[in-house]
Amino acid sequence: MHTHNPRRSLKARTTGKWKQQAKKALIPGYGKKGMGWIRNPKKAAYNKIYRKTTFSIWGLFK
């Protein structure tokens, strides 16, 4: 079961649109789909399996 981290959730919600636009303009490949497989394939494989096998408690109520 996936446990939520309130600090990370808040950080994800408050990261500004301008900050993401600046990174996208400066860093080639930032925010592009599939970049994780190029940069760190071991981590990308782990994350893919983790996302398919874990569930959130809130998902049970939907």
Side-chain angles (χ1 to χ4, degrees):
M1 184 170 75
H2 175 78
T3 56
H4 290 277
N5 185 335
R7 196 177 333 143
R8 285 186 183 173
S9 180
L10 180 67
K11 173 90 172 150
R13 290 169 192 241
T14 57
T15 299
K17 184 168 51 167
W18 295 320
K19 184 178 181 182
Q20 290 177 351
Q21 287 175 345
K23 280 188 157 187
K24 204 165 194 173
L26 295 172
I27 302 169
Y30 177 81
K32 302 280 191 219
K33 190 171 182 176
M35 285 303 292
W37 287 102
I38 296 167
R39 295 182 65 143
N40 193 344
K42 187 177 178 182
K43 186 176 179 183
Y46 171 83
N47 285 336
K48 180 146 182 123
I49 293 167
Y50 179 83
R51 277 190 230 107
K52 287 187 178 275
T53 56
T54 56
F55 63 94
S56 170
I57 192 75
W58 304 114
L60 298 174
F61 296 119
K62 288 185 179 179

